[in-house]
Amino acid sequence: MILPAGHPRAGQDRIGLADLADETWLLPPYDPGCDDYGALADACAPAGFAPRVSPHRIGDLGVLCDLIAQGVGVALAQGAARARDGVVMRRFAGDPLLGRHLLALHRDSPLFGARPLLLDLVRAAFEARCVTPG
């Protein structure tokens, strides 16, 4: 997740979702294939709250980080996201949200037969960049 660098919880390695119940959440533009709000709401319900979401959807990461740095809200982020000036990236305690990555190939692609190798390479790259021990 992305927090302002000056947020009271910015120094923590992992943050409990319930600790963010009073925050405004900034979400990307609506994508019919990805229900960001539904996933966030589903994760927040067991933590005892419904997320307050900004009515503005922000698709540009630079603008999103600028708004977060100014204290407008917080946002979900992919594991591969890196901090920018004024913001920090932190993981949730207990990993209450799960992401799904899809790899699609056309049957006529010359790479179609190499699907197992491609999946292994993608998995290894993701783990090397995004998964931290502990």
PDB file of all heavy atoms in Angstrom, residues 65-104:
ATOM      1  N   CYS A  65       0.697   9.420  -6.436  1.00  0.00           N
ATOM      2  CA  CYS A  65       1.708   9.593  -5.392  1.00  0.00           C
ATOM      3  C   CYS A  65       1.771  11.045  -4.915  1.00  0.00           C
ATOM      4  O   CYS A  65       1.967  11.295  -3.722  1.00  0.00           O
ATOM      5  CB  CYS A  65       3.069   9.115  -5.883  1.00  0.00           C
ATOM      6  SG  CYS A  65       3.200   7.318  -5.984  1.00  0.00           S
ATOM      7  N   ASP A  66       1.599  12.001  -5.823  1.00  0.00           N
ATOM      8  CA  ASP A  66       1.570  13.409  -5.413  1.00  0.00           C
ATOM      9  C   ASP A  66       0.415  13.671  -4.451  1.00  0.00           C
ATOM     10  O   ASP A  66       0.578  14.348  -3.439  1.00  0.00           O
ATOM     11  CB  ASP A  66       1.447  14.331  -6.624  1.00  0.00           C
ATOM     12  CG  ASP A  66       2.723  14.413  -7.449  1.00  0.00           C
ATOM     13  OD1 ASP A  66       3.789  13.980  -6.949  1.00  0.00           O
ATOM     14  OD2 ASP A  66       2.647  14.896  -8.599  1.00  0.00           O
ATOM     15  N   LEU A  67      -0.767  13.132  -4.764  1.00  0.00           N
ATOM     16  CA  LEU A  67      -1.926  13.313  -3.893  1.00  0.00           C
ATOM     17  C   LEU A  67      -1.714  12.655  -2.529  1.00  0.00           C
ATOM     18  O   LEU A  67      -2.048  13.219  -1.485  1.00  0.00           O
ATOM     19  CB  LEU A  67      -3.185  12.765  -4.559  1.00  0.00           C
ATOM     20  CG  LEU A  67      -3.691  13.554  -5.764  1.00  0.00           C
ATOM     21  CD1 LEU A  67      -4.786  12.781  -6.489  1.00  0.00           C
ATOM     22  CD2 LEU A  67      -4.185  14.928  -5.345  1.00  0.00           C
ATOM     23  N   ILE A  68      -1.145  11.462  -2.548  1.00  0.00           N
ATOM     24  CA  ILE A  68      -0.878  10.768  -1.284  1.00  0.00           C
ATOM     25  C   ILE A  68       0.150  11.540  -0.468  1.00  0.00           C
ATOM     26  O   ILE A  68      -0.011  11.719   0.744  1.00  0.00           O
ATOM     27  CB  ILE A  68      -0.435   9.313  -1.553  1.00  0.00           C
ATOM     28  CG1 ILE A  68      -1.610   8.531  -2.141  1.00  0.00           C
ATOM     29  CG2 ILE A  68       0.083   8.661  -0.269  1.00  0.00           C
ATOM     30  CD1 ILE A  68      -1.239   7.175  -2.671  1.00  0.00           C
ATOM     31  N   ALA A  69       1.208  12.030  -1.117  1.00  0.00           N
ATOM     32  CA  ALA A  69       2.234  12.812  -0.418  1.00  0.00           C
ATOM     33  C   ALA A  69       1.633  14.054   0.232  1.00  0.00           C
ATOM     34  O   ALA A  69       2.086  14.494   1.298  1.00  0.00           O
ATOM     35  CB  ALA A  69       3.347  13.202  -1.384  1.00  0.00           C
ATOM     36  N   GLN A  70       0.584  14.603  -0.378  1.00  0.00           N
ATOM     37  CA  GLN A  70      -0.091  15.785   0.169  1.00  0.00           C
ATOM     38  C   GLN A  70      -1.084  15.423   1.267  1.00  0.00           C
ATOM     39  O   GLN A  70      -1.733  16.298   1.836  1.00  0.00           O
ATOM     40  CB  GLN A  70      -0.816  16.536  -0.948  1.00  0.00           C
ATOM     41  CG  GLN A  70       0.111  17.144  -1.971  1.00  0.00           C
ATOM     42  CD  GLN A  70      -0.647  17.671  -3.174  1.00  0.00           C
ATOM     43  OE1 GLN A  70      -1.785  18.100  -3.080  1.00  0.00           O
ATOM     44  NE2 GLN A  70       0.002  17.630  -4.330  1.00  0.00           N
ATOM     45  N   GLY A  71      -1.260  14.130   1.550  1.00  0.00           N
ATOM     46  CA  GLY A  71      -2.143  13.699   2.615  1.00  0.00           C
ATOM     47  C   GLY A  71      -3.592  13.524   2.212  1.00  0.00           C
ATOM     48  O   GLY A  71      -4.470  13.417   3.065  1.00  0.00           O
ATOM     49  N   VAL A  72      -3.864  13.445   0.902  1.00  0.00           N
ATOM     50  CA  VAL A  72      -5.244  13.300   0.422  1.00  0.00           C
ATOM     51  C   VAL A  72      -5.808  11.919   0.764  1.00  0.00           C
ATOM     52  O   VAL A  72      -7.003  11.773   1.010  1.00  0.00           O
ATOM     53  CB  VAL A  72      -5.323  13.574  -1.101  1.00  0.00           C
ATOM     54  CG1 VAL A  72      -6.692  13.250  -1.655  1.00  0.00           C
ATOM     55  CG2 VAL A  72      -4.946  15.024  -1.389  1.00  0.00           C
ATOM     56  N   GLY A  73      -4.965  10.898   0.787  1.00  0.00           N
ATOM     57  CA  GLY A  73      -5.441   9.553   1.070  1.00  0.00           C
ATOM     58  C   GLY A  73      -4.326   8.544   0.990  1.00  0.00           C
ATOM     59  O   GLY A  73      -3.146   8.898   0.949  1.00  0.00           O
ATOM     60  N   VAL A  74      -4.718   7.282   0.957  1.00  0.00           N
ATOM     61  CA  VAL A  74      -3.799   6.155   0.828  1.00  0.00           C
ATOM     62  C   VAL A  74      -4.281   5.317  -0.352  1.00  0.00           C
ATOM     63  O   VAL A  74      -5.398   5.487  -0.830  1.00  0.00           O
ATOM     64  CB  VAL A  74      -3.733   5.311   2.119  1.00  0.00           C
ATOM     65  CG1 VAL A  74      -3.232   6.144   3.291  1.00  0.00           C
ATOM     66  CG2 VAL A  74      -5.079   4.689   2.438  1.00  0.00           C
ATOM     67  N   ALA A  75      -3.445   4.395  -0.813  1.00  0.00           N
ATOM     68  CA  ALA A  75      -3.829   3.588  -1.965  1.00  0.00           C
ATOM     69  C   ALA A  75      -3.233   2.194  -1.871  1.00  0.00           C
ATOM     70  O   ALA A  75      -2.221   1.973  -1.208  1.00  0.00           O
ATOM     71  CB  ALA A  75      -3.373   4.253  -3.267  1.00  0.00           C
ATOM     72  N   LEU A  76      -3.886   1.288  -2.560  1.00  0.00           N
ATOM     73  CA  LEU A  76      -3.340  -0.055  -2.731  1.00  0.00           C
ATOM     74  C   LEU A  76      -2.243   0.021  -3.778  1.00  0.00           C
ATOM     75  O   LEU A  76      -2.256   0.902  -4.640  1.00  0.00           O
ATOM     76  CB  LEU A  76      -4.434  -1.012  -3.213  1.00  0.00           C
ATOM     77  CG  LEU A  76      -5.635  -1.164  -2.291  1.00  0.00           C
ATOM     78  CD1 LEU A  76      -6.697  -2.029  -2.958  1.00  0.00           C
ATOM     79  CD2 LEU A  76      -5.205  -1.768  -0.966  1.00  0.00           C
ATOM     80  N   ALA A  77      -1.297  -0.897  -3.711  1.00  0.00           N
ATOM     81  CA  ALA A  77      -0.213  -0.922  -4.690  1.00  0.00           C
ATOM     82  C   ALA A  77       0.181  -2.361  -4.972  1.00  0.00           C
ATOM     83  O   ALA A  77       0.056  -3.234  -4.115  1.00  0.00           O
ATOM     84  CB  ALA A  77       0.996  -0.145  -4.170  1.00  0.00           C
ATOM     85  N   GLN A  78       0.667  -2.591  -6.158  1.00  0.00           N
ATOM     86  CA  GLN A  78       1.218  -3.889  -6.508  1.00  0.00           C
ATOM     87  C   GLN A  78       2.526  -4.096  -5.742  1.00  0.00           C
ATOM     88  O   GLN A  78       3.202  -3.132  -5.376  1.00  0.00           O
ATOM     89  CB  GLN A  78       1.498  -3.963  -8.016  1.00  0.00           C
ATOM     90  CG  GLN A  78       0.268  -3.918  -8.867  1.00  0.00           C
ATOM     91  CD  GLN A  78      -0.529  -5.212  -8.771  1.00  0.00           C
ATOM     92  OE1 GLN A  78       0.011  -6.278  -8.500  1.00  0.00           O
ATOM     93  NE2 GLN A  78      -1.817  -5.112  -8.996  1.00  0.00           N
ATOM     94  N   GLY A  79       2.879  -5.326  -5.538  1.00  0.00           N
ATOM     95  CA  GLY A  79       4.113  -5.629  -4.829  1.00  0.00           C
ATOM     96  C   GLY A  79       5.357  -5.100  -5.502  1.00  0.00           C
ATOM     97  O   GLY A  79       6.371  -4.871  -4.863  1.00  0.00           O
ATOM     98  N   ALA A  80       5.295  -4.889  -6.805  1.00  0.00           N
ATOM     99  CA  ALA A  80       6.452  -4.398  -7.542  1.00  0.00           C
ATOM    100  C   ALA A  80       6.578  -2.876  -7.493  1.00  0.00           C
ATOM    101  O   ALA A  80       7.571  -2.329  -7.948  1.00  0.00           O
ATOM    102  CB  ALA A  80       6.373  -4.849  -9.002  1.00  0.00           C
ATOM    103  N   ALA A  81       5.594  -2.184  -6.936  1.00  0.00           N
ATOM    104  CA  ALA A  81       5.632  -0.726  -6.891  1.00  0.00           C
ATOM    105  C   ALA A  81       6.768  -0.256  -5.991  1.00  0.00           C
ATOM    106  O   ALA A  81       7.098  -0.899  -5.003  1.00  0.00           O
ATOM    107  CB  ALA A  81       4.297  -0.179  -6.388  1.00  0.00           C
ATOM    108  N   ARG A  82       7.363   0.863  -6.353  1.00  0.00           N
ATOM    109  CA  ARG A  82       8.460   1.422  -5.575  1.00  0.00           C
ATOM    110  C   ARG A  82       8.093   2.827  -5.102  1.00  0.00           C
ATOM    111  O   ARG A  82       7.399   3.562  -5.784  1.00  0.00           O
ATOM    112  CB  ARG A  82       9.747   1.470  -6.403  1.00  0.00           C
ATOM    113  CG  ARG A  82      10.256   0.077  -6.790  1.00  0.00           C
ATOM    114  CD  ARG A  82      10.681  -0.690  -5.537  1.00  0.00           C
ATOM    115  NE  ARG A  82      11.136  -2.036  -5.840  1.00  0.00           N
ATOM    116  CZ  ARG A  82      10.496  -3.132  -5.469  1.00  0.00           C
ATOM    117  NH1 ARG A  82       9.386  -3.066  -4.810  1.00  0.00           N
ATOM    118  NH2 ARG A  82      10.970  -4.314  -5.747  1.00  0.00           N
ATOM    119  N   ALA A  83       8.610   3.173  -3.944  1.00  0.00           N
ATOM    120  CA  ALA A  83       8.316   4.481  -3.357  1.00  0.00           C
ATOM    121  C   ALA A  83       8.847   5.608  -4.234  1.00  0.00           C
ATOM    122  O   ALA A  83       9.806   5.445  -4.979  1.00  0.00           O
ATOM    123  CB  ALA A  83       8.936   4.567  -1.971  1.00  0.00           C
ATOM    124  N   ARG A  84       8.182   6.717  -4.124  1.00  0.00           N
ATOM    125  CA  ARG A  84       8.599   7.959  -4.780  1.00  0.00           C
ATOM    126  C   ARG A  84       8.724   9.009  -3.699  1.00  0.00           C
ATOM    127  O   ARG A  84       8.390   8.765  -2.542  1.00  0.00           O
ATOM    128  CB  ARG A  84       7.553   8.380  -5.814  1.00  0.00           C
ATOM    129  CG  ARG A  84       7.418   7.381  -6.947  1.00  0.00           C
ATOM    130  CD  ARG A  84       6.324   7.819  -7.893  1.00  0.00           C
ATOM    131  NE  ARG A  84       6.219   6.856  -8.983  1.00  0.00           N
ATOM    132  CZ  ARG A  84       6.011   7.195 -10.228  1.00  0.00           C
ATOM    133  NH1 ARG A  84       5.852   8.449 -10.565  1.00  0.00           N
ATOM    134  NH2 ARG A  84       5.925   6.278 -11.156  1.00  0.00           N
ATOM    135  N   ASP A  85       9.178  10.183  -4.069  1.00  0.00           N
ATOM    136  CA  ASP A  85       9.322  11.255  -3.092  1.00  0.00           C
ATOM    137  C   ASP A  85       8.003  11.512  -2.369  1.00  0.00           C
ATOM    138  O   ASP A  85       6.959  11.634  -3.002  1.00  0.00           O
ATOM    139  CB  ASP A  85       9.780  12.550  -3.771  1.00  0.00           C
ATOM    140  CG  ASP A  85      11.237  12.498  -4.210  1.00  0.00           C
ATOM    141  OD1 ASP A  85      11.978  11.653  -3.674  1.00  0.00           O
ATOM    142  OD2 ASP A  85      11.617  13.299  -5.079  1.00  0.00           O
ATOM    143  N   GLY A  86       8.069  11.573  -1.052  1.00  0.00           N
ATOM    144  CA  GLY A  86       6.918  11.931  -0.245  1.00  0.00           C
ATOM    145  C   GLY A  86       5.995  10.794   0.144  1.00  0.00           C
ATOM    146  O   GLY A  86       5.042  10.995   0.884  1.00  0.00           O
ATOM    147  N   VAL A  87       6.262   9.588  -0.358  1.00  0.00           N
ATOM    148  CA  VAL A  87       5.414   8.442  -0.033  1.00  0.00           C
ATOM    149  C   VAL A  87       6.275   7.239   0.342  1.00  0.00           C
ATOM    150  O   VAL A  87       7.448   7.177  -0.006  1.00  0.00           O
ATOM    151  CB  VAL A  87       4.448   8.050  -1.190  1.00  0.00           C
ATOM    152  CG1 VAL A  87       3.554   9.219  -1.568  1.00  0.00           C
ATOM    153  CG2 VAL A  87       5.202   7.537  -2.397  1.00  0.00           C
ATOM    154  N   VAL A  88       5.666   6.298   1.050  1.00  0.00           N
ATOM    155  CA  VAL A  88       6.333   5.040   1.388  1.00  0.00           C
ATOM    156  C   VAL A  88       5.423   3.882   1.008  1.00  0.00           C
ATOM    157  O   VAL A  88       4.200   4.028   0.956  1.00  0.00           O
ATOM    158  CB  VAL A  88       6.701   4.958   2.888  1.00  0.00           C
ATOM    159  CG1 VAL A  88       7.720   6.019   3.261  1.00  0.00           C
ATOM    160  CG2 VAL A  88       5.464   5.072   3.766  1.00  0.00           C
ATOM    161  N   MET A  89       6.001   2.758   0.733  1.00  0.00           N
ATOM    162  CA  MET A  89       5.266   1.530   0.437  1.00  0.00           C
ATOM    163  C   MET A  89       5.359   0.631   1.659  1.00  0.00           C
ATOM    164  O   MET A  89       6.443   0.423   2.211  1.00  0.00           O
ATOM    165  CB  MET A  89       5.872   0.788  -0.754  1.00  0.00           C
ATOM    166  CG  MET A  89       5.995   1.613  -2.012  1.00  0.00           C
ATOM    167  SD  MET A  89       4.391   2.040  -2.639  1.00  0.00           S
ATOM    168  CE  MET A  89       4.845   2.984  -4.069  1.00  0.00           C
ATOM    169  N   ARG A  90       4.221   0.112   2.085  1.00  0.00           N
ATOM    170  CA  ARG A  90       4.196  -0.787   3.222  1.00  0.00           C
ATOM    171  C   ARG A  90       3.281  -1.965   2.934  1.00  0.00           C
ATOM    172  O   ARG A  90       2.325  -1.842   2.162  1.00  0.00           O
ATOM    173  CB  ARG A  90       3.696  -0.069   4.490  1.00  0.00           C
ATOM    174  CG  ARG A  90       4.602   1.028   4.975  1.00  0.00           C
ATOM    175  CD  ARG A  90       5.935   0.452   5.455  1.00  0.00           C
ATOM    176  NE  ARG A  90       6.834   1.488   5.920  1.00  0.00           N
ATOM    177  CZ  ARG A  90       7.832   1.986   5.206  1.00  0.00           C
ATOM    178  NH1 ARG A  90       8.082   1.535   4.005  1.00  0.00           N
ATOM    179  NH2 ARG A  90       8.611   2.922   5.708  1.00  0.00           N
ATOM    180  N   ARG A  91       3.566  -3.087   3.579  1.00  0.00           N
ATOM    181  CA  ARG A  91       2.723  -4.278   3.443  1.00  0.00           C
ATOM    182  C   ARG A  91       1.695  -4.288   4.552  1.00  0.00           C
ATOM    183  O   ARG A  91       1.903  -3.729   5.624  1.00  0.00           O
ATOM    184  CB  ARG A  91       3.576  -5.535   3.517  1.00  0.00           C
ATOM    185  CG  ARG A  91       4.486  -5.676   2.302  1.00  0.00           C
ATOM    186  CD  ARG A  91       5.215  -6.968   2.328  1.00  0.00           C
ATOM    187  NE  ARG A  91       4.260  -8.048   2.052  1.00  0.00           N
ATOM    188  CZ  ARG A  91       4.602  -9.300   1.892  1.00  0.00           C
ATOM    189  NH1 ARG A  91       5.855  -9.654   1.982  1.00  0.00           N
ATOM    190  NH2 ARG A  91       3.690 -10.220   1.653  1.00  0.00           N
ATOM    191  N   PHE A  92       0.588  -4.973   4.288  1.00  0.00           N
ATOM    192  CA  PHE A  92      -0.431  -5.176   5.308  1.00  0.00           C
ATOM    193  C   PHE A  92      -0.006  -6.315   6.218  1.00  0.00           C
ATOM    194  O   PHE A  92       0.574  -7.302   5.772  1.00  0.00           O
ATOM    195  CB  PHE A  92      -1.778  -5.555   4.678  1.00  0.00           C
ATOM    196  CG  PHE A  92      -2.463  -4.426   3.978  1.00  0.00           C
ATOM    197  CD1 PHE A  92      -2.715  -4.504   2.618  1.00  0.00           C
ATOM    198  CD2 PHE A  92      -2.870  -3.300   4.668  1.00  0.00           C
ATOM    199  CE1 PHE A  92      -3.349  -3.474   1.961  1.00  0.00           C
ATOM    200  CE2 PHE A  92      -3.512  -2.267   4.022  1.00  0.00           C
ATOM    201  CZ  PHE A  92      -3.752  -2.345   2.660  1.00  0.00           C
ATOM    202  N   ALA A  93      -0.328  -6.211   7.472  1.00  0.00           N
ATOM    203  CA  ALA A  93      -0.140  -7.322   8.396  1.00  0.00           C
ATOM    204  C   ALA A  93      -1.136  -8.411   8.011  1.00  0.00           C
ATOM    205  O   ALA A  93      -2.314  -8.135   7.781  1.00  0.00           O
ATOM    206  CB  ALA A  93      -0.376  -6.863   9.831  1.00  0.00           C
ATOM    207  N   GLY A  94      -0.664  -9.620   7.910  1.00  0.00           N
ATOM    208  CA  GLY A  94      -1.543 -10.745   7.597  1.00  0.00           C
ATOM    209  C   GLY A  94      -1.942 -10.858   6.137  1.00  0.00           C
ATOM    210  O   GLY A  94      -2.682 -11.757   5.774  1.00  0.00           O
ATOM    211  N   ASP A  95      -1.477  -9.981   5.291  1.00  0.00           N
ATOM    212  CA  ASP A  95      -1.790 -10.026   3.857  1.00  0.00           C
ATOM    213  C   ASP A  95      -3.278 -10.259   3.584  1.00  0.00           C
ATOM    214  O   ASP A  95      -3.676 -11.280   3.017  1.00  0.00           O
ATOM    215  CB  ASP A  95      -0.954 -11.101   3.149  1.00  0.00           C
ATOM    216  CG  ASP A  95       0.530 -10.777   3.181  1.00  0.00           C
ATOM    217  OD1 ASP A  95       0.874  -9.589   3.073  1.00  0.00           O
ATOM    218  OD2 ASP A  95       1.343 -11.697   3.304  1.00  0.00           O
ATOM    219  N   PRO A  96      -4.159  -9.315   3.974  1.00  0.00           N
ATOM    220  CA  PRO A  96      -5.604  -9.510   3.814  1.00  0.00           C
ATOM    221  C   PRO A  96      -6.111  -9.423   2.374  1.00  0.00           C
ATOM    222  O   PRO A  96      -7.219  -9.837   2.089  1.00  0.00           O
ATOM    223  CB  PRO A  96      -6.200  -8.373   4.658  1.00  0.00           C
ATOM    224  CG  PRO A  96      -5.169  -7.298   4.590  1.00  0.00           C
ATOM    225  CD  PRO A  96      -3.849  -8.020   4.590  1.00  0.00           C
ATOM    226  N   LEU A  97      -5.286  -8.898   1.489  1.00  0.00           N
ATOM    227  CA  LEU A  97      -5.667  -8.783   0.080  1.00  0.00           C
ATOM    228  C   LEU A  97      -4.753  -9.659  -0.757  1.00  0.00           C
ATOM    229  O   LEU A  97      -3.537  -9.657  -0.563  1.00  0.00           O
ATOM    230  CB  LEU A  97      -5.537  -7.338  -0.410  1.00  0.00           C
ATOM    231  CG  LEU A  97      -6.592  -6.379   0.085  1.00  0.00           C
ATOM    232  CD1 LEU A  97      -6.119  -4.948  -0.064  1.00  0.00           C
ATOM    233  CD2 LEU A  97      -7.863  -6.579  -0.710  1.00  0.00           C
ATOM    234  N   LEU A  98      -5.329 -10.371  -1.677  1.00  0.00           N
ATOM    235  CA  LEU A  98      -4.540 -11.180  -2.587  1.00  0.00           C
ATOM    236  C   LEU A  98      -4.695 -10.624  -3.995  1.00  0.00           C
ATOM    237  O   LEU A  98      -5.767 -10.167  -4.377  1.00  0.00           O
ATOM    238  CB  LEU A  98      -5.011 -12.639  -2.565  1.00  0.00           C
ATOM    239  CG  LEU A  98      -4.879 -13.346  -1.221  1.00  0.00           C
ATOM    240  CD1 LEU A  98      -5.459 -14.743  -1.314  1.00  0.00           C
ATOM    241  CD2 LEU A  98      -3.420 -13.402  -0.796  1.00  0.00           C
ATOM    242  N   GLY A  99      -3.622 -10.672  -4.747  1.00  0.00           N
ATOM    243  CA  GLY A  99      -3.666 -10.219  -6.133  1.00  0.00           C
ATOM    244  C   GLY A  99      -3.596 -11.406  -7.070  1.00  0.00           C
ATOM    245  O   GLY A  99      -3.181 -12.499  -6.683  1.00  0.00           O
ATOM    246  N   ARG A 100      -4.009 -11.186  -8.269  1.00  0.00           N
ATOM    247  CA  ARG A 100      -3.957 -12.239  -9.278  1.00  0.00           C
ATOM    248  C   ARG A 100      -3.335 -11.649 -10.536  1.00  0.00           C
ATOM    249  O   ARG A 100      -3.702 -10.570 -10.971  1.00  0.00           O
ATOM    250  CB  ARG A 100      -5.365 -12.736  -9.571  1.00  0.00           C
ATOM    251  CG  ARG A 100      -5.400 -13.855 -10.584  1.00  0.00           C
ATOM    252  CD  ARG A 100      -6.787 -14.371 -10.750  1.00  0.00           C
ATOM    253  NE  ARG A 100      -7.615 -13.361 -11.381  1.00  0.00           N
ATOM    254  CZ  ARG A 100      -8.818 -13.580 -11.868  1.00  0.00           C
ATOM    255  NH1 ARG A 100      -9.354 -14.765 -11.765  1.00  0.00           N
ATOM    256  NH2 ARG A 100      -9.508 -12.623 -12.440  1.00  0.00           N
ATOM    257  N   HIS A 101      -2.379 -12.345 -11.065  1.00  0.00           N
ATOM    258  CA  HIS A 101      -1.732 -11.932 -12.299  1.00  0.00           C
ATOM    259  C   HIS A 101      -2.067 -12.957 -13.376  1.00  0.00           C
ATOM    260  O   HIS A 101      -1.999 -14.162 -13.127  1.00  0.00           O
ATOM    261  CB  HIS A 101      -0.212 -11.846 -12.121  1.00  0.00           C
ATOM    262  CG  HIS A 101       0.190 -10.804 -11.141  1.00  0.00           C
ATOM    263  ND1 HIS A 101       0.361  -9.491 -11.485  1.00  0.00           N
ATOM    264  CD2 HIS A 101       0.413 -10.874  -9.807  1.00  0.00           C
ATOM    265  CE1 HIS A 101       0.681  -8.807 -10.425  1.00  0.00           C
ATOM    266  NE2 HIS A 101       0.724  -9.623  -9.389  1.00  0.00           N
ATOM    267  N   LEU A 102      -2.424 -12.475 -14.535  1.00  0.00           N
ATOM    268  CA  LEU A 102      -2.778 -13.355 -15.644  1.00  0.00           C
ATOM    269  C   LEU A 102      -1.769 -13.208 -16.766  1.00  0.00           C
ATOM    270  O   LEU A 102      -1.317 -12.109 -17.060  1.00  0.00           O
ATOM    271  CB  LEU A 102      -4.172 -12.999 -16.171  1.00  0.00           C
ATOM    272  CG  LEU A 102      -5.312 -13.052 -15.160  1.00  0.00           C
ATOM    273  CD1 LEU A 102      -6.597 -12.569 -15.795  1.00  0.00           C
ATOM    274  CD2 LEU A 102      -5.478 -14.455 -14.620  1.00  0.00           C
ATOM    275  N   LEU A 103      -1.432 -14.309 -17.380  1.00  0.00           N
ATOM    276  CA  LEU A 103      -0.561 -14.316 -18.541  1.00  0.00           C
ATOM    277  C   LEU A 103      -1.371 -14.924 -19.673  1.00  0.00           C
ATOM    278  O   LEU A 103      -1.802 -16.073 -19.584  1.00  0.00           O
ATOM    279  CB  LEU A 103       0.699 -15.152 -18.277  1.00  0.00           C
ATOM    280  CG  LEU A 103       1.673 -15.297 -19.431  1.00  0.00           C
ATOM    281  CD1 LEU A 103       2.233 -13.943 -19.850  1.00  0.00           C
ATOM    282  CD2 LEU A 103       2.802 -16.250 -19.054  1.00  0.00           C
ATOM    283  N   ALA A 104      -1.610 -14.145 -20.704  1.00  0.00           N
ATOM    284  CA  ALA A 104      -2.438 -14.612 -21.821  1.00  0.00           C
ATOM    285  C   ALA A 104      -1.599 -14.680 -23.088  1.00  0.00           C
ATOM    286  O   ALA A 104      -0.830 -13.763 -23.390  1.00  0.00           O
ATOM    287  CB  ALA A 104      -3.613 -13.665 -22.027  1.00  0.00           C
TER     288      ALA A 104
END
